Amino acid sequence: MNAKEYRAYREEQEYLKEKNRKITPVSAVYTAHSTITLNDDTATSKGIIRATLNGYSKLNGEIEKLRDSIHNYKANAGVAKYGDTAVQVNQKHDISDTIVTLEDRQSKFAKLVLIEMWLYDTLYHLQGLRFEDIMYIIEVYLRGRGEPSRGKTHRIIGVILEKGIDLPTVEQAKLAINENGRE
């Protein structure tokens, strides 16, 4: 069984496992389009916006973790070389498992980067917020550059609530990427 056959076998197993799994909601944060604008309870709306911003931060953390694991990846072929002598390592490791693992990380990384770029584009073209506030959300929450300021975040959330702006969620980005990828 070569690497292509093994990968096809693993993908088939994952597909069957996913097919048999019960469908559960991805996150408790997912809301309908009208929830924020029609809800009078501002504490709940603020919580939803904060959860959306934290979702951006978690997405960034996942991307950085995968970027580091791909960049610092070192293949282990099961043979270690000390000086001029090759020594067999006790760990049995199939090279196709290693290849499939690396390809899975790369494909997951590519999907997450597409999601990040969709969110970036959607936030960048958001109407109703000042450009400075949009760039703050993108740089601090989506890109992870710098620490979030509680005061500035509170002010931006207040403006979002006041104007009834819908922030795109990570779940919406995943749906949009999956729909565009199938066409």
Side-chain angles (χ1 to χ4, degrees):
M1 183 180 275
N2 62 21
K4 278 187 178 179
E5 293 171 350
Y6 187 72
R7 180 161 177 77
Y9 169 76
R10 296 268 300 256
E11 286 178 352
E12 182 182 352
Q13 294 301 318
E14 286 179 15
Y15 172 76
L16 291 174
K17 190 165 124 182
E18 192 70 26
K19 185 178 172 185
N20 293 333
R21 188 174 64 113
K22 293 181 180 177
I23 298 175
T24 57
V26 176
S27 173
V29 185
Y30 186 77
T31 61
H33 289 289
S34 62
T35 303
I36 293 176
T37 55
L38 297 178
N39 192 354
D40 290 335
D41 188 13
T42 58
T44 306
S45 299
K46 284 182 182 180
I48 291 171
I49 294 171
R50 284 192 191 281
T52 302
L53 294 175
N54 288 336
Y56 297 164
S57 297
K58 288 178 185 175
L59 176 70
N60 178 47
E62 269 186 81
I63 289 173
E64 291 303 321
K65 186 173 132 186
L66 282 171
R67 180 178 286 138
D68 288 343
S69 71
I70 291 170
H71 180 70
N72 297 326
Y73 179 75
K74 294 181 182 173
N76 181 4
V79 176
K81 188 171 182 181
Y82 298 101
D84 293 332
T85 309
V87 178
Q88 185 68 32
V89 177
N90 289 336
Q91 178 186 12
K92 292 185 178 179
H93 203 44
D94 187 11
I95 192 69
S96 59
D97 282 340
T98 305
I99 292 170
V100 168
T101 303
L102 183 60
E103 287 176 352
D104 286 344
R105 285 181 188 163
Q106 290 172 341
S107 66
K108 185 175 181 183
F109 176 73
K111 285 178 187 174
L112 290 177
V113 168
L114 282 174
I115 289 170
E116 181 188 37
M117 293 308 298
W118 187 89
L119 285 169
Y120 177 87
D121 187 52
T122 306
L123 284 169
Y124 191 77
H125 293 96
L126 196 63
Q127 298 292 319
L129 277 179
R130 292 185 338 199
F131 182 73
E132 175 188 330
D133 295 340
I134 293 171
M135 290 310 295
Y136 176 79
I137 291 172
I138 290 172
E139 291 297 318
V140 172
Y141 288 100
L142 194 58
R143 296 286 167 94
R145 297 181 183 142
E147 290 294 318
S149 166
R150 292 184 76 183
K152 194 166 193 174
T153 302
H154 182 72
R155 184 184 58 75
I156 291 173
I157 289 173
V159 171
I160 290 171
L161 288 175
E162 178 184 316
K163 295 186 177 181
I165 299 170
D166 289 333
L167 288 179
T169 63
V170 176
E171 287 82 13
Q172 289 171 340
K174 286 179 183 177
L175 289 174
I177 295 299
N178 287 337
E179 288 173 5
N180 291 337
R182 290 185 186 139
E183 295 175 349

